[in-house]
Amino acid sequence: MIARRRQHEALGLVGGVCGVIEGTGMQNPTTSLIGRGRLNFLSCALMASAAASFLIAATAPASAENTSTDAKAGGIETVIVTSERREERLLDVPQSVSALTDADLKAMGATSFIDYVGAIPNVQFTTIGPGQTKITIRGVSDAQGVSTVGYYLNDTPITSRDTSGANQPDPNVFDVERVEILRGPQGTLYGGGSMGGTIRILTKQPDTTKFDTAADVTASATEHGGTNYNVNGMVNVPLADTLAVRVAGGYGHYDGWIDDPFIGKDINTYKTDFLRTEAKYAPTDDFSLTFLYQYDWLATNATNLSDTNTKWTSTLSQLSPNKDKTNLYSLTGVYDLHWAELTAVASYSTRANLAFQPFSSSTLGSYEFAFGLPAGTITGGGANLGANTRDYNGEVRLVSEGDGPLQWTVGAYHLDSAIAANTLVYILPPNAVSFIPGGIFLNSVGTQHVSQYALYGEATYNFTDSLALTGGLRWFNETVAVSGVANGSPIFGRVKTGKIIPKATLSYKIDPDSLVYFTYSGGFRSGGANLGVDPGSPPTYQPDTTENYELGAKTVLFDGKLVATAALYYIAWSNMQIFIDATPPNTIGYTTNGGKAKSQGAELDLNIQPIDSLKFELNGSYSEAVLTQPYVDIAFTAPTGNWLPNVPRFKGYASAEYSFPVMDDVTGRLRGDVQYTGKSWASILNALHPRDVLQPAYTLANLSLAAFRGSWTAELFVHNVFDERAILENDTFGNIYENRPRTIGITLRYNP
């Protein structure tokens, strides 16, 4: 009777929350563009079921063998990674790798990249809003051009090939095994786009031995904004001894906090959906075939743009909506030959993106000045941007097995990628400039096609139990072709490249838990096409490359109570892909090659567990990323020594976690973390650019209090405890983009 009463109470509570959210959405017509407050039946049902089940569980006796994995302690966890394409202890990998397990991500309350990036040394990001993010590792900044960071979902590359470098995908990290972040060029095993580093999201695999479920529900409220909620669920179903299906999905609604006096309140509301389906067929112990389908959808009303002097306010008087939809299909076969493991991966993906970027008042003023027009002549305008991407990826690799002194990996890779993009740039009113018919500056339609073939290999020879030498090479041949029309003028171009990328590592084990290593490695970034640019701009640009020198160490001290990793690095960057600003009457800048840079720095990561119930993590990084050859723009020349954009000199992170008994079958956990990001320049021109600013440093803190009982968790959290305003990007056109203000909420989680 008590359980039934609590279930009815939970259903009533969640129903009331649904009603409040729906009512809130109805009161704000501006958010109807993406259906703010439209809480579908499935979401409410999931929330109600989770809340009811939690309350029921709270009255039931706890199962001794069904303890929460989140609450377990007993020494610093031994993490197994596959960053070198084989299973190894993280401590045994002679390169700079960070790994976040499923338990780590849950403790952070992470659902996306932005939620966990603060905990990773020497990884930075800039963003104008959800789905519009750039990633930088070790100062190799992709201010423009193709991404400098490789992004993988399991064995499938999902790196954005949009040449703006500003819309990396961001898969939901619910029901993932771990996230691995490889710092430094990864050209041998991971290829193009990994010249700064590689991020790998590894999902939990279907289990043929048992039926399993998991779910979480989060509700929160944002200061200066409204209510948010997120619902995730997973079910694993064995269909036979040799076949299982695992399905995970989620839905999220996040209220905005930025007001526009001309439009309404909380204009930067957004919604997300994701669905991941995996089916695994394993007829024998030696062979398995896994199919994956991943669907991600995002819709935003506006970016996180805010006025410089007025927090949480925009005066653009226009929305800046963005819609992004991705479908990924992959098939992975693994065959154990008992002397080597053969893996074959084939994938197909599509991505459709549609966005509008309105001109700021300073941009409109620039055009008025360039055309000699009185202030106020041009009242509005912007750019409609659309891109449709289609990628085929195929890879076959063979990884040696056994305990002999020689271990090796060989493989082949093929990519066939196409992007169809359209760009329309206009001003209002249409007759504001007499010599620009209809007020249309640019009407461009173009297609980029990339074809790449690669062969790669790595081998490690262990001279003794302590001393090992690794050597690797990757050969690739790539063709980038572009065709299209810009303002009626044809655009054609082609870039053909072939290179060999090397790697060498010498490592020495002082003892089973202490390692030092020195690595030389290369990285490269594909060339690309200037889609959506003014007639007369160069249609293509060349690849660029990096060379990395790294000295690192890993060790375990004080009977396993301290794990320390450290690295020093120097990266030389050649033939940089750089951005040339537009000069009116041109409206769109373009990417070309020129200049050199270096990035040098240090990283330190400490994991400390003095007693089973108390954990600390401290990490920090220093990065000096500067030009070593002048960068020449149309109007300015950036001298040697200028800092690369969006690269802070210092970054730090600290977390503390304390577990304690509450009663016989309930365990509590108090957790806090703080992250510091130093100041950085918004463009490579630094102070030479009249609108460039030194983006200020910021410090963000989070707190959470959780209770664990059996398979259930209830967690109260506060994100951005001190309600600090962080400028996450400044586009040098008078626009700044800020972080989410203080957010307070609760998560209910079922996790056997």
Side-chain angles (χ1 to χ4, degrees):
M1 291 296 293
I2 295 175
R4 185 174 299 131
R5 185 176 72 248
R6 290 181 182 267
Q7 184 178 28
H8 284 298
E9 290 172 354
L11 290 169
L13 173 64
V14 176
V17 172
C18 295
V20 169
I21 295 174
E22 288 181 334
T24 304
M26 293 172 64
Q27 294 170 8
N28 189 346
T30 65
T31 56
S32 62
L33 290 175
I34 62 169
R36 175 185 174 183
R38 182 174 56 87
L39 188 62
N40 59 48
F41 175 80
L42 176 61
S43 300
C44 277
L46 284 171
M47 291 175 70
S49 299
S53 300
F54 181 81
L55 290 174
I56 294 168
T59 65
S63 170
E65 66 272 10
N66 192 21
T67 56
S68 170
T69 55
D70 288 350
K72 287 180 180 177
I76 296 177
E77 180 182 7
T78 299
V79 179
I80 303 298
V81 297
T82 55
S83 56
E84 293 193 312
R85 302 299 195 183
R86 63 178 74 242
E87 289 191 350
E88 300 172 281
R89 287 195 316 164
L90 183 59
L91 277 169
D92 295 331
V93 179
Q95 61 177 326
S96 186
V97 181
S98 294
L100 297 173
T101 65
D102 178 51
D104 295 330
L105 296 168
K106 287 173 181 170
M108 294 176 182
T111 60
S112 65
F113 173 80
I114 292 177
D115 297 326
Y116 61 79
V117 65
I120 309 300
N122 248 326
V123 180
Q124 296 86 31
F125 75 98
T126 59
T127 183
I128 66 174
Q132 300 174 82
T133 299
K134 305 174 190 175
I135 303 171
T136 299
I137 298 180
R138 284 188 171 175
V140 184
S141 169
D142 60 345
Q144 194 68 21
V146 181
S147 173
T148 61
V149 176
Y151 219 148
Y152 280 72
L153 183 67
N154 295 333
D155 283 321
T156 300
I158 58 172
T159 312
S160 171
R161 300 193 179 277
D162 186 318
T163 54
S164 70
N167 63 342
Q168 284 292 357
D170 193 8
N172 192 300
V173 292
F174 175 77
D175 198 44
V176 303
E177 192 70 36
R178 65 185 176 277
V179 177
E180 297 178 1
I181 300 94
L182 291 65
R183 291 183 290 275
Q186 306 293 325
T188 306
L189 292 181
Y190 294 96
S194 291
M195 74 176 193
T198 299
I199 298 173
R200 305 177 68 219
I201 297 175
L202 303 169
T203 64
K204 293 185 177 180
Q205 296 298 292
D207 187 345
T208 61
T209 64
K210 64 178 180 178
F211 176 83
D212 200 5
T213 60
D216 63 45
V217 179
T218 299
S220 64
T222 296
E223 196 98 5
H224 323 291
T227 55
N228 321 292
Y229 66 90
N230 186 74
V231 184
N232 296 305
M234 179 280 297
V235 59
N236 182 92
V237 182
L239 300 177
D241 292 340
T242 59
L243 179 64
V245 175
R246 191 180 190 98
V247 180
Y251 173 82
H253 175 282
Y254 302 90
D255 200 78
W257 66 89
I258 294 174
D259 302 336
D260 190 312
F262 303 101
I263 299 176
K265 291 183 176 296
D266 304 340
I267 61 172
N268 57 327
T269 298
Y270 73 97
K271 296 193 305 182
T272 63
D273 280 333
F274 94 95
L275 174 67
R276 183 187 309 125
T277 301
E278 294 181 89
K280 184 173 185 177
Y281 174 60
T284 71
D285 292 340
D286 295 334
F287 176 73
S288 68
L289 196 63
T290 304
F291 169 78
L292 177 143
Y293 169 68
Q294 173 99 11
Y295 168 81
D296 291 285
W297 175 83
L298 167 74
T300 68
N301 273 344
T303 63
N304 298 341
L305 180 146
S306 178
D307 285 356
T308 304
N309 299 318
T310 308
K311 294 193 294 185
W312 319 305
T313 303
S314 170
T315 55
L316 277 181
S317 71
Q318 297 184 78
L319 294 175
S320 48
N322 176 59
K323 292 186 177 180
D324 199 346
K325 181 173 69 174
T326 300
N327 289 278
L328 169 66
Y329 309 83
S330 73
L331 187 64
T332 302
V334 179
Y335 186 43
D336 189 349
L337 303 172
H338 297 285
W339 54 272
E341 184 177 82
L342 176 66
T343 301
V345 184
S347 67
Y348 169 75
S349 64
T350 63
R351 186 177 184 184
N353 182 259
L354 183 62
F356 172 66
Q357 295 180 1
F359 288 148
S360 67
S361 57
S362 62
T363 302
L364 300 179
S366 297
Y367 286 125
E368 289 171 338
F369 177 79
F371 298 138
L373 300 173
T377 303
I378 302 175
T379 59
N384 286 315
L385 307 171
N388 289 280
T389 304
R390 182 270 302 156
D391 283 350
Y392 294 98
N393 284 276
E395 183 170 4
V396 177
R397 68 174 177 271
L398 200 60
V399 180
S400 67
E401 296 178 341
D403 298 325
L406 180 64
Q407 297 175 335
W408 47 266
T409 300
V410 294
Y413 171 75
H414 173 60
L415 164 70
D416 187 287
S417 174
I419 300 176
N422 57 81
T423 304
L424 180 67
V425 184
Y426 64 91
I427 58 170
L428 297 172
N431 60 353
V433 182
S434 59
F435 54 85
I436 300 177
I440 297 176
F441 279 107
L442 177 64
N443 188 357
S444 172
V445 178
T447 300
Q448 172 187 275
H449 181 257
V450 179
S451 178
Q452 184 188 120
Y453 296 89
L455 299 173
Y456 64 88
E458 257 190 30
T460 298
Y461 188 78
N462 296 276
F463 296 99
T464 68
D465 291 340
S466 299
L467 183 65
L469 177 65
T470 298
L473 293 172
R474 187 183 189 101
W475 167 87
F476 75 95
N477 185 280
E478 179 181 79
T479 301
V480 179
V482 58
S483 62
V485 177
N487 287 354
S489 300
I491 300 174
F492 294 102
R494 181 180 296 267
V495 176
K496 194 164 186 177
T497 310
K499 287 184 180 294
I500 294 177
I501 305 298
K503 176 183 176 180
T505 297
L506 183 65
S507 62
Y508 182 77
K509 276 196 169 185
I510 301 170
D511 59 50
D513 291 326
S514 298
L515 171 75
V516 293
Y517 64 90
F518 177 78
T519 292
Y520 166 78
S521 60
F524 72 94
R525 174 168 54 161
S526 298
N530 282 308
L531 298 175
V533 295
D534 297 287
S537 299
T540 60
Y541 48 91
Q542 300 286 331
D544 50 359
T545 58
T546 53
E547 292 182 288
N548 175 63
Y549 303 86
E550 179 177 335
L551 177 64
K554 303 181 179 185
T555 189
V556 178
L557 300 171
F558 306 115
D559 296 325
K561 293 180 171 60
L562 170 64
V563 176
T565 63
L568 301 171
Y569 66 88
Y570 176 89
I571 299 174
W573 190 355
S574 301
N575 203 34
M576 293 173 59
Q577 293 176 13
I578 59 175
F579 185 68
I580 301 297
D581 276 315
T583 301
N586 287 347
T587 59
I588 303 292
Y590 60 86
T591 302
T592 185
N593 296 86
K596 296 181 179 181
K598 69 176 181 181
S599 179
Q600 57 190 7
E603 301 156 356
L604 177 65
D605 193 343
L606 304 175
N607 282 274
I608 308 165
Q609 190 166 354
I611 56 177
D612 287 350
S613 58
L614 185 61
K615 300 178 184 178
F616 298 97
E617 181 176 2
L618 302 170
N619 69 56
S621 57
Y622 169 84
S623 180
E624 181 183 330
V626 297
L627 288 173
T628 56
Q629 181 176 303
Y631 159 90
V632 181
D633 203 338
I634 292 176
F636 306 97
T637 297
T640 297
N642 263 25
W643 279 78
L644 301 187
N646 303 310
V647 180
R649 189 186 296 263
F650 296 103
K651 183 184 176 187
Y653 174 82
S655 70
E657 185 177 305
Y658 177 63
S659 299
F660 53 92
V662 177
M663 55 183 68
D664 289 344
D665 52 0
V666 178
T667 301
R669 184 188 67 200
L670 179 64
R671 187 182 192 279
D673 65 67
V674 59
Q675 55 180 284
Y676 170 81
T677 301
K679 58 188 178 182
S680 63
W681 288 100
S683 90
I684 202 170
L685 296 174
N686 295 183
L688 294 174
H689 196 291
R691 290 187 300 272
D692 198 358
V693 296
L694 193 61
Q695 299 171 140
Y698 59 86
T699 303
L700 302 176
N702 305 303
L703 282 173
S704 65
L705 177 63
F708 304 90
R709 189 177 193 277
S711 300
W712 293 88
T713 305
E715 183 170 10
L716 296 171
F717 62 84
V718 184
H719 292 163
N720 192 4
V721 173
F722 302 109
D723 200 22
E724 175 152 354
R725 187 196 201 194
I727 296 176
L728 302 182
E729 182 161 348
N730 182 310
D731 64 4
T732 72
F733 286 97
N735 301 325
I736 66 168
Y737 301 87
E738 63 184 23
N739 63 315
R740 180 172 288 273
R742 182 191 296 118
T743 299
I744 301 174
I746 183 171
T747 295
L748 304 178
R749 180 178 297 118
Y750 174 72
N751 185 40

